[in-house]
C-alpha cells in the first residue's frame, strides 16, 4: 500500500472554521465547542499529522486499533475518547487506556469500567449514549430509561458522569437534523434539574455538525471531514 496519509492541515482548519461559524450563528462562544477528531481506520501517521497541526483530542471506535495508536503516540500528551459500541469483554482495555467513554448505555458496562479503572489514572469521564431514532441493536439507552441509568452511573466513584451522546440516523436538511439534537439537549437539561451537573453534549459529525452546534453541542465528533474518506 503506497497511499499517503490523507490528513492535511487545510482540512482541519476548514472543520474548525465550520464550527466557529456555526457557534457564531448560535450566539455561542466558539471556544465552548471542542472538536473530537475521529481517527478510526486512519493510520497513526495521520493522527500524528493532526497533532502537529494542533489537534489534541481523538476518538476511536475499535479498542485494539485505538490502543495501538495510543501506545504509538504516547509521548504526545493527546486525549483519547472511546466512541465505539461497548462490549463487556473490552471494558478493561478501555478503562486502562482512554480518558473518555461516550457510549455507556447499560449498568453492566458502567460497573465494569468503574471496577477496572486504574487508580493511578484518575476517574474516567463518561457520557451516556441515548438512542434517538436508531434501529434497536445499535446501542444507546431509551430516553425513558435514562434517568435511572444516569443515577446509577453518577453514583460510581471511579466514573465521572459528564453528559450525553447520540448518533441519530442520517437525514438531510438542517431543520430535520436539529430535531434529535434538541431532544438530547432537553434530556440533559432535565437531568440537571434532577440534581446532576452535566456539562457535555457529544453530538454532530461531518455531515451535521452545524445543526448540532446550533442545539448546544460541546463536542462534535468529526472523521471524514478531518481525515478524508475511510477505506
Ligand atoms: C465514525 C464516527 C464519527 C465520525 O463520522 P464522520 O461522518 O466520518 O464524521 C462520529 N461518531 C461516531 C460514533 C462514529 O462512529
Amino acid at each position: 500500500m503506497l497511499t499517503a496519509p490523507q490528513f492535511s492541515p487545510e482540512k482541519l482548519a476548514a472543520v474548525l472554521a465550520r464550527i466557529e461559524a456555526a457557534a457564531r450563528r448560535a450566539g455561542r462562544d466558539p471556544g465552548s465547542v471542542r472538536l473530537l477528531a475521529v481517527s478510526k481506520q486512519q493510520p497513526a501517521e495521520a493522527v500524528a499529522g493532526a497533532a502537529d497541526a494542533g489537534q489534541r483530542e481523538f476518538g476511536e471506535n475499535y479498542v485494539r486499533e485505538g490502543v495501538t495508536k495510543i501506545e504509538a503516540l504516547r509521548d504526545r500528551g493527546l486525549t483519547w475518547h472511546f466512541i465505539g459500541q461497548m462490549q463487556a469483554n473490552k471494558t478493561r482495555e478501555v478503562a486502562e487506556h482512554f480518558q473518555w467513554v461516550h457510549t455507556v448505555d447499560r449498568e453492566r458496562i458502567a460497573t465494569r469500567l468503574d471496577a477496572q479503572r486504574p487508580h493511578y489514572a484518575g476517574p474516567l469521564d463518561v457520557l451516556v449514549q441515548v438512542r434517538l431514532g436508531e434501529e434497536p441493536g445499535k446501542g444507546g439507552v431509551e430516553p425513558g430509561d435514562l434517568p435511572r441509568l444516569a443515577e446509577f452511573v453518577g453514583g460510581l466513584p471511579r466514573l465521572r458522569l459528564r453528559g450525553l451522546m447520540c448518533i441519530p440516523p442520517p437525514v438531510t436538511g438542517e431543520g430535520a437534523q436539529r430535531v434529535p439534537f434538541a431532544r438530547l439537549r432537553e434530556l440533559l437539561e432535565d437531568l440537571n434539574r434532577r440534581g446532576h451537573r452535566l456539562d457535555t453534549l457529544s453530538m454532530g459529525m461531518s455531515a451535521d455538525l452545524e445543526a448540532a452546534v446550533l442545539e448546544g453541542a460541546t463536542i462534535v465528533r468529526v472523521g471524514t471531514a478531518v481525515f478524508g474518506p475511510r477505506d
Side-chain angles (χ1 to χ4, degrees):
M1 284 260 297
L2 294 171
T3 49
Q6 293 167 305
F7 172 77
S8 73
E10 291 74 23
K11 287 198 188 100
L12 177 63
V15 170
L16 293 171
R18 283 176 63 189
I19 293 170
E20 177 168 349
R24 294 204 186 287
R25 228 174 1 118
R28 299 181 55 197
D29 171 8
S32 67
V33 188
R34 281 145 62 202
L35 171 61
L36 180 63
V38 176
S39 46
K40 64 172 174 227
Q41 295 174 43
Q42 301 291 346
E45 293 74 31
V47 176
D52 287 342
Q55 177 62 28
R56 309 308 303 165
E57 297 190 82
F58 295 89
E60 288 283 339
N61 290 61
Y62 308 102
V63 177
R64 258 290 107 214
E65 178 190 338
V67 170
T68 301
K69 284 179 231 179
I70 290 169
E71 284 174 345
L73 298 165
R74 184 163 296 295
D75 56 342
R76 298 231 178 194
L78 305 174
T79 299
W80 293 88
H81 299 234
F82 185 75
I83 63 171
Q85 274 200 51
M86 282 296 318
Q87 293 168 273
N89 64 348
K90 298 285 172 59
T91 51
R92 180 177 298 280
E93 274 195 298
V94 170
E96 288 178 351
H97 291 97
F98 287 82
Q99 286 101 315
W100 285 73
V101 177
H102 291 219
T103 46
V104 172
D105 63 358
R106 52 200 192 275
E107 289 188 5
R108 174 164 147 78
I109 293 293
T111 301
R112 291 176 65 93
L113 289 171
D114 177 66
Q116 294 167 344
R117 180 65 170 174
H119 278 269
Y120 58 78
L124 182 64
D125 285 307
V126 303
L127 306 177
V128 169
Q129 181 183 353
V130 183
R131 178 150 68 212
L132 296 175
E134 294 100 303
E135 296 110 70
K138 279 207 156 183
V141 66
E142 295 292 341
D145 297 330
L146 173 61
R148 209 173 56 187
L149 181 59
E151 194 64 36
F152 182 81
V153 175
L156 295 173
R158 303 296 298 148
L159 304 186
R160 191 159 53 202
L161 179 61
R162 298 293 299 273
L164 304 178
M165 177 269 208
C166 69
I167 317 172
V171 293
T172 50
E174 194 173 270
Q177 289 171 349
R178 287 177 69 160
V179 173
F181 297 146
R183 178 90 174 101
L184 196 70
R185 175 174 43 75
E186 286 160 10
L187 289 168
L188 181 123
E189 288 165 355
D190 182 56
L191 290 174
N192 281 343
R193 276 193 295 274
R194 293 170 188 248
H196 290 278
R197 298 171 67 174
L198 308 181
D199 61 8
T200 303
L201 279 171
S202 166
M203 56 192 196
M205 317 200 300
S206 292
D208 55 12
L209 72 87
E210 283 85 359
V213 170
L214 289 167
E215 292 298 345
T218 65
I219 297 178
V220 291
R221 309 179 309 266
V222 183
T224 314
V226 171
F227 291 108
R230 293 178 286 271
D231 293 337

